Amino acid sequence: MATPGVPRNFRLLEEMEEGQKGGGDGTMSWSPTEDEDPTMTNWSAMILGPPQTTFAGRTYSIGLTCGPKYPDEPPTARFRTKVNMTAVNSANGEILPSKVSVLTHWQQNYTIKTLLKELLRLMSTTENAQLSQPPEGSTY
């Protein structure tokens, strides 16, 4: 986990290394979108839908933006793969901060991995686990 007080780019380098290793359990990965972007602002993430849910067997793509105040402020995030979830704007895939506790109560020690784990947890909740999903492969 990243160390509080570390400069933004060093923190993002730590997160990049962890994300490229698959985040530990293989259900998620993340990396900067552009190799040559020194600010490491735009990121792409992939998560695997949790088993025993309507998300199972699917891979979901997410775009994240780590602004200049990250990690003091949370990243913004948007599903690129269409998904039906209570915390996601169905028109554009935006992840709604007011519906995701780690975004609402963001702490400096939280990471991209923290957010992705929370999205996986939300997929497994009663209100989301059995929602019908858009056709596989559809995007916003």
Side-chain angles (χ1 to χ4, degrees):
M1 179 171 291
T3 308
V6 172
R8 178 185 180 278
N9 281 10
F10 289 154
R11 163 72 177 267
L12 289 170
L13 282 170
E14 289 177 4
E15 293 196 46
M16 180 180 72
E17 288 177 11
E18 183 179 9
Q20 290 176 336
K21 293 176 185 171
D25 64 3
T27 61
M28 63 185 86
S29 65
W30 59 95
S31 65
T33 304
E34 301 169 29
D35 291 336
E36 301 301 319
D37 177 12
T39 66
M40 293 186 282
T41 298
N42 297 306
W43 292 66
S44 292
M46 300 291 254
I47 58 175
L48 299 177
Q52 300 174 3
T53 68
T54 57
F55 307 100
R58 294 183 178 203
T59 302
Y60 293 90
S61 174
I62 302 166
L64 300 109
T65 301
C66 296
K69 294 184 180 179
Y70 181 87
D72 295 323
E73 294 181 2
T76 58
R78 180 181 309 267
F79 274 89
R80 293 181 181 137
T81 309
K82 281 197 174 182
V83 64
N84 186 12
M85 282 178 66
T86 57
V88 177
N89 180 324
S90 61
N92 63 13
E94 176 188 2
I95 296 168
L96 305 170
S98 63
K99 305 275 187 179
V100 180
S101 63
V102 300
L103 293 176
T104 305
H105 304 289
W106 186 259
Q107 298 176 26
Q108 187 184 46
N109 65 323
Y110 287 175
T111 62
I112 292 170
K113 180 179 180 178
T114 306
L115 174 56
L116 298 177
K117 286 176 75 171
E118 178 66 3
L119 292 174
L120 287 170
R121 187 193 70 75
L122 289 171
M123 286 176 159
S124 297
T125 61
T126 305
E127 59 267 21
N128 287 310
Q130 299 307 317
L131 291 175
S132 63
Q133 294 302 310
E136 193 164 357
S138 51
T139 58
Y140 290 102

